[in-house]
Amino acid sequence: MSRIPVPRSGRPVAVLALAAGLLGLLAAPPGAPTPSPRTSPVAAVAENTATVFYWTKTKNWTAHHLHYAPDGGSWTTVPGVAMEPACTDWVKKTVSLGTAAGLQATFNNGSGTWDNNGGRNYALGTGNITVKDGVVAHSDPCADTTPSPAAGATVYYSTEALGWSTANIHYQPAGGAWTAVPGVGMQAACAGWWKREIDLGTAASLRAAFNNGNGTWDNNGGSDYTIGTGVSTVRNRVVTAHAADPCAATPPDTQAPTAPAGVTAAADGVSVLLSWDPATDDRGVTKYQVTRTGGSGGTVVTDVASTVYSDTGLAERTAYTYTVRAVDAAGNVSAASAPATATTGDRPATPATGKPLGTDPRKDPIYFVLTARFNDGDPSNDRGGSQHVKSGNAANDDPMFRGDFKGLIQKLDYVKGLGFSAIWVTPVVLNRSDYDYHGYHGWDFYKVDPRLESAGASYQDLIDAAHAKGMKIYQDVVYNHSSRWGARGLFVPTVYGVRDSQWSWYYDEKQPGFEYDGLTIDAKTGKSYYNGDLWSTAEPAGNTCVNWGKPTGGKSAEGYTVYNCQWPSPTSGMFPKELYHQCWIGNWEGEDSRSCWLHEDLADFNTENPTVQNYLIGAYDKYIDMGVDGFRVDTAVHIPRTTWNRRFLPAIQERVTQRHGAEAAKNFFVFGEVAAFVNDKWNRGSVNHSAQFYTWKERKEYDADDAKAALEMYDYEQQQGTGNQPTSTNAFLDGNSYHTPDHSRFSGMNVIDMRMHMNFGDAQNAFSNGKDSDDSYNDATYNVVYVDSHDYGPNKSSERYAGGTDAWAENMSLMWTFRGIPTLYYGSEIEFQKGKKIDCGPTCPLADTGRAYFGDHVAGSVTATDFSQVSSASGAVATTLQQPLVRHVQRLNQIRRAIPALQTGQYSTEGVTGGMAFKRRYTSGSTDSFALVTVSGGASFTGVPNGTYTDAVTGDVRTVTGGTLSVAAPGKGNLRVYVLNGPGRIGTAGPYLK
């Protein structure tokens, strides 16, 4: 949703919390006892201590702190005491316990990332104690460590792209101290390369940064470089371990590659998909030449970077013949392959108007746009609203309603060129509030907001245009609340506050025959299309508002007297209780969060009332009939699961089945926002308010009355607790085998992966937290995964993500290969508005926020020939398409689209070592796709099927005969995807995938 307010009342929280915004994290329970001072002398005794060893290998932390409290004593000040290096992969800290028999402990990186044992803290004793991946033991892991023989590192550093005239290496052996700035000088090795040999002693690696001696540094984007023993090269921020000497003389290459084998051609309509086995070469193949003959086009030769080529736009019912040649870096060309022939069929019809595409939603990466802020195709429907001047938008000539469906239609090729095949649009219904451009203040749920539509660019036109390009439309929907002005067709109060001489500029008097539509200006006043008919100079007949017209004692920002009933509220008596709830939320994890208003301008529906249910079901049936492909459900947690499972979700399924068939209903994608801002598996222990809870059907029968049923469910599930909730293996491999998932207990609602979202300040944390929850979802492969959105950044940050380009690339590499559906908030592909406050309401210009207008960056023309493929672009959009993260996400989409395991596969980390490494598989009919993935770091995979594995990123081929495949670290943001019997390298090398 657009806005989640701060709770109105305090409540106890447990375990660890930082003032910087991490909820659910308080180091010691309130009221912990403090030991009394001793008043009598005691005999000297040996100091009572604990030496705590902490395992670091699975953390990507640069510092480690121990935050602790001796039993019965006080906690240290956050973040605690710094730990010191102990031995390889271990840090330690010895602490005095006084007379305590143990301590409570947590660990953190000093920057807000915590290990608090899943919310329980660690209970430790005395002596030597180890904490390794959540397991506590009593030992000294460094006691038997035998010093390794002295090791050395030879580091080559390339300044070819930097233009430096000298180079220094500033380094720190693992467990040792940094050299003095600027480090030690490197020796010129050959053109563009500098060299330094370093004695590491017993260390197995070093951290390093490079500089030119005059203040210009390369510190790997703030992460430094990790370099091992032996020869390593560092070039364009990529570390290559065990590398060849880059300065060794290279003889000229005169040997041509082998001819490609195994060429196959398969026609699909008027397209032909060509694939072949990788050719071999003594130096490496750089590209392939595909030659096509047949049809009226004559001979066509196309350069291809991978071993897969899709030839599109061909003639109907025509035979085409293809041969393939391999080319190496020296230009040597192989002999032609054996020919392969395919005959095209009929040109497929474009998708029918008003019919969803109906394919598995896991195959479609999602691009999320605030329609009103994306691209303006029709300035005539722009509207600033009542806060246009006050907000500062007027000074920027930037009305809040600026983007529209026409602008989005114009840029569908931009979105497709990025590789996305689904677009999530903000709510489309007619809104009514002071700042309603984002769509979450619905007033007429049966009408599309005219500020978004134009002639030839209606909502139906957008759906049809997207479908014609093979792209889905997911519509954001709101069942929980209307605007504070009510919902037209259900209940709309006829009058609110006093319109006296102070407020006449703002509150228009009622105009007979005038009806608000958000767009039309009231002809009588000539200035308002917004408030229109809501206020009065005298108390109206039939008034139900308590204390109407009496001053509250408060003043507006302008200094005007504020009267009771000036604006709607749940306790004012303005709304009938059978249709709207009558209270404010007090406990955000309690049952009142489902039955009270969450904000003053969001009137909370009584969704357990059949009249309200029928109103909403009828409204959203309209958009199902128009052919949308799914619903993103706003504020889903604020409606009981019983109501979703009994009423709204079955109604969606029934309507889609009725209008579009059973297969479309099966793949109509519903994903809910179940907001939880803690890093625990269950939201502060409240199963009823945890995301995974909403993916399950009920486990028992409840009262036929929906309001009573909601209370019964809440009580029953709270008593069951977190330890007695259903679990699932639907996301997990059985060893290396895919198994048919069991969706018999699926509710019909999937969810946004809030836990990963909250931890994406660090990709490793997001990965660890994500997989920790996966057994409690019905099927986590359907989780929608994003880094930031129109509401929050990671760790409940109120700013758009600003972790840096490398970190963005790493986050994307994980999202596009791990289970779930990758989703990108508009503009993140160029780090748009990074670090900017996401939402400040009308108190600052939108141009200064994370919801700024994006159209200037996509101005010009762009044509996409396929997903991730742009044939032409001009103007500002051409510049945008050259940005590093754009190129990164384009290729990630290519790779994901070509490998079924990355789309719909189950996963496992069994037999896998490495920080972010896993294996995935999907098996169905003739499709058997098995992939080994590692992101940023190295990994080892044991017990995997023997066979030939090809990396989709580099084209590297490995033959596994003993069930083991080891992969060197590709570098931050990069990844390796080794596919059993895979298609070869997919796409071309970019700034990260190389």
Side-chain angles (χ1 to χ4, degrees), residues 673-851:
E673 176 202 30
V674 183
F677 305 114
V678 295
N679 295 334
D680 298 331
K681 184 171 184 175
W682 298 96
N683 183 20
R684 299 185 183 89
S686 177
V687 295
N688 282 274
H689 297 84
S690 299
Q692 55 268 50
F693 184 75
Y694 277 76
T695 67
W696 295 94
K697 289 181 178 179
E698 311 312 320
R699 296 195 281 174
K700 65 186 296 290
E701 292 292 326
Y702 297 109
D703 195 279
D705 178 83
D706 284 353
K708 293 179 181 178
L711 293 172
E712 290 178 0
M713 179 198 68
Y714 180 82
D715 290 339
Y716 175 77
E717 293 294 354
Q718 290 298 94
Q719 291 172 10
Q720 294 298 309
T722 61
N724 193 28
Q725 294 299 312
T727 59
S728 167
T729 62
N730 285 338
F732 305 113
L733 293 173
D734 182 3
N736 291 316
S737 299
Y738 178 88
H739 62 92
T740 301
D742 177 7
H743 294 150
S744 61
R745 299 169 68 191
F746 175 49
S747 68
M749 180 185 290
N750 295 289
V751 291
I752 294 168
D753 199 316
M754 196 62 63
R755 193 174 179 194
M756 286 194 74
H757 163 49
M758 283 290 108
N759 283 278
F760 257 120
D762 182 298
Q764 177 68 62
N765 271 354
F767 175 64
S768 299
N769 277 272
K771 65 181 180 178
D772 179 55
S773 295
D774 283 356
D775 65 342
S776 59
Y777 295 99
N778 182 269
D779 191 341
T781 66
Y782 288 86
N783 284 13
V784 170
V785 182
Y786 57 61
V787 172
D788 64 356
S789 72
H790 59 323
D791 284 329
Y792 290 103
N795 294 319
K796 207 184 178 185
S797 165
S798 59
E799 290 80 36
R800 287 197 75 162
Y801 181 64
T805 311
D806 288 354
W808 250 124
E810 184 175 60
N811 286 342
M812 289 178 177
S813 291
L814 176 62
M815 291 161 64
W816 261 257
T817 54
F818 189 43
R819 60 94 185 117
I821 302 171
T823 301
L824 198 70
Y825 184 38
Y826 82 102
S828 291
E829 65 272 21
I830 61 170
E831 297 177 84
F832 181 59
Q833 298 296 90
K834 62 181 179 182
K836 297 288 187 180
K837 189 174 182 64
I838 291 172
D839 174 29
C840 60
T843 63
C844 74
L846 279 166
D848 295 341
T849 72
R851 300 175 179 176

Side-chain angles (χ1 to χ4, degrees), residues 445-446 475 477 479 613-628 631 648 650-656 658-660:
F445 286 69
Y446 286 76
Q475 178 179 329
V477 295
Y479 286 77
Q613 293 169 356
N614 291 336
Y615 174 83
L616 293 167
I617 290 169
Y620 291 122
D621 279 352
K622 168 181 176 175
Y623 305 105
I624 291 172
D625 294 351
M626 293 173 72
V628 296
F631 289 156
F648 296 137
I652 291 170
Q653 281 290 301
E654 289 168 9
R655 188 68 170 198
V656 179
Q658 178 189 29
R659 287 291 189 268
H660 308 300

Side-chain angles (χ1 to χ4, degrees), residues 909-947:
T909 56
E910 180 184 349
V912 180
T913 62
M916 288 181 285
F918 44 92
K919 53 189 177 182
R920 296 191 68 183
R921 191 171 206 156
Y922 176 72
T923 305
S924 178
S926 61
T927 299
D928 185 16
S929 178
F930 184 70
L932 307 176
V933 180
T934 183
V935 179
S936 295
S940 179
F941 302 87
T942 59
V944 299
N946 292 332

Side-chain angles (χ1 to χ4, degrees), residues 292-301 314-315 318 320:
R292 181 190 76 205
T293 57
S296 60
T299 300
V300 178
V301 179
L314 303 173
T318 302
Y320 292 93

